[in-house]
Amino acid sequence: MTIYDKMLAVLSEKKGTATVNIEQEVMQRIALAGLYRGGFFKYAAFYGGTCLRLFHGLPRYSEDMDFSLIEKRNDVHINDYFPAIIEEFRLSGHEVEIVKKDKKKFGRVESAFLKESTEAYDIKFQTKKNLKVKIELDTDPPLNFETEQLLLQQPYSFYTRCFTLPSLFAGKMHALIYRNWKNRVKGRDWYDLEWYVRWDIPLDFKHLQERIREFNGTEIDKNNFIELLKEKLSNTDIERVKDDVAGFVENPHDLDIWSNEYFLKLADKITFKE
């Protein structure tokens, strides 16, 4: 049995069955191991929903792997680390190819804020073309975030530099408020908001301000933020929100309590990192 198969068996046993989501999670872990072995985390940090799931137990699946340089520089590119990722998959028992994403296909559906400085690729099996994970690196990122070193133990023990929970929360609130998809909502943003509030994670407002400043060209204070958030939570069709996230959550009954009024109460419970 290959390392890949062992990892898939362990995760599948925990969840009861093997699914595409679980297989993607195995791929994500192996990709992180390759990036670590290649030295990527000297210069970059992991953030987003997949980071939250792998390192903090978020009970929903996430498809994409989002990375940010820890300082603005133009000499670090994620394709420099492809040989390390490919070798890690080979050692695990699978051959993969890494294909550059066509930026023209981004926007409403796949990426909330794809900048010219974002490098985006798909990792695909050569024999399973429908199974892939997307990796993105922002090489000109908004700063004022904090990071920490967190441990994974599969396919071997290694550390990953990750945004701290308050900084992760800031990124999620920026996405929830400013994501501009014409015909869709991203229920995963709402699910994550609920998770952060449930576990009393304070919001890194300095990083949120920096993201809004760079992506949206505006300045807001905490009161403006709460007003914008409540407007979004009040006016979005909650059934569309639930429909979007339903296929990603481990327990669909988690969504039974969801309503616009429920999320407005959650907004009142947000605290800020000192």
Side-chain angles (χ1 to χ4, degrees):
M1 182 180 285
T2 66
I3 293 172
Y4 183 95
D5 292 335
K6 290 178 181 176
M7 292 173 65
L8 184 60
V10 168
L11 281 177
S12 299
E13 184 176 357
K14 288 181 180 178
K15 306 303 176 186
T17 185
T19 66
V20 170
N21 287 329
I22 290 175
E23 201 156 1
Q24 284 177 324
E25 187 169 320
V26 172
M27 292 178 69
Q28 291 161 349
R29 291 171 181 264
I30 293 170
L32 286 173
L35 290 169
Y36 166 81
R37 203 188 294 272
F40 178 69
F41 295 112
K42 295 176 185 176
Y43 310 105
F46 191 26
Y47 72 99
T50 303
C51 179
L52 203 60
R53 176 172 177 80
L54 294 184
F55 291 97
H56 300 286
L58 179 73
R60 76 159 176 88
Y61 295 102
S62 181
E63 301 166 302
D64 303 338
M65 305 181 72
D66 300 309
F67 301 96
S68 168
L69 292 183
I70 59 175
E71 61 181 0
K72 293 181 183 292
R73 53 191 301 165
N74 56 17
D75 61 339
V76 177
H77 303 281
I78 200 163
N79 58 329
D80 295 336
Y81 301 89
F82 288 175
I85 295 174
I86 291 168
E87 175 65 9
E88 201 64 54
F89 273 95
R90 188 191 67 77
L91 292 172
S92 77
H94 279 280
E95 300 292 331
V96 295
E97 57 184 356
I98 304 178
V99 181
K100 189 171 185 177
K101 295 286 292 181
D102 183 354
K103 290 190 179 183
K104 293 179 182 177
K105 295 181 181 179
F106 279 88
R108 309 197 294 275
V109 177
E110 291 190 87
S111 187
F113 314 107
L114 189 71
K115 302 188 298 184
E116 285 302 314
S117 60
T118 301
E119 302 173 350
Y121 295 83
D122 282 337
I123 302 174
K124 301 180 179 181
F125 287 133
Q126 294 180 357
T127 55
K128 299 181 181 180
K129 298 295 185 180
N130 63 328
L131 186 65
K132 63 185 179 181
V133 295
K134 186 177 71 177
I135 54 176
E136 291 185 11
L137 173 65
D138 189 344
T139 59
D140 183 26
L143 300 177
N144 284 338
F145 56 81
E146 297 181 355
T147 67
E148 58 185 339
Q149 297 285 345
L150 298 179
L151 178 69
L152 277 183
Q153 293 185 281
Q154 292 178 345
Y156 60 89
S157 294
F158 64 96
Y159 285 101
T160 298
R161 185 198 294 267
C162 300
F163 279 38
T164 62
L165 283 168
S167 293
L168 284 167
F169 193 6
K172 180 54 61 175
M173 289 301 91
H174 177 235
L176 194 156
I177 292 173
Y178 290 96
R179 195 187 298 276
N180 186 24
W181 287 0
K182 292 182 181 178
N183 300 313
R184 286 184 57 193
V185 295
K186 192 167 185 180
R188 284 155 277 180
D189 293 342
W190 295 54
Y191 189 91
D192 295 359
L193 166 60
E194 181 188 43
W195 188 91
Y196 283 114
V197 174
R198 172 176 292 127
W199 297 108
D200 199 25
I201 307 300
L203 176 65
D204 181 351
F205 194 69
K206 288 182 179 179
H207 181 52
L208 177 59
Q209 285 179 307
E210 189 68 21
R211 294 189 76 84
I212 295 170
R213 188 177 298 121
E214 289 209 14
F215 281 105
N216 309 102
T218 60
E219 300 283 343
I220 69 168
D221 59 23
K222 292 175 182 176
N223 290 331
N224 297 147
F225 159 67
I226 294 296
E227 288 174 7
L228 289 170
L229 177 61
K230 286 188 172 182
E231 181 180 359
K232 190 84 168 186
L233 298 177
S234 297
N235 297 330
T236 305
D237 184 342
I238 195 66
E239 294 305 317
R240 292 174 61 199
V241 175
K242 292 165 72 171
D243 287 345
D244 179 80
V245 76
F248 293 90
V249 299
E250 295 177 6
N251 183 3
H253 291 296
D254 289 346
L255 312 182
D256 290 348
I257 195 174
W258 281 23
S259 68
N260 297 91
E261 292 75 17
Y262 171 65
F263 277 94
L264 288 171
K265 290 184 183 299
L266 294 182
D268 288 331
K269 294 180 178 292
I270 291 175
T271 60
F272 296 93
K273 180 179 177 294
E274 296 298 329

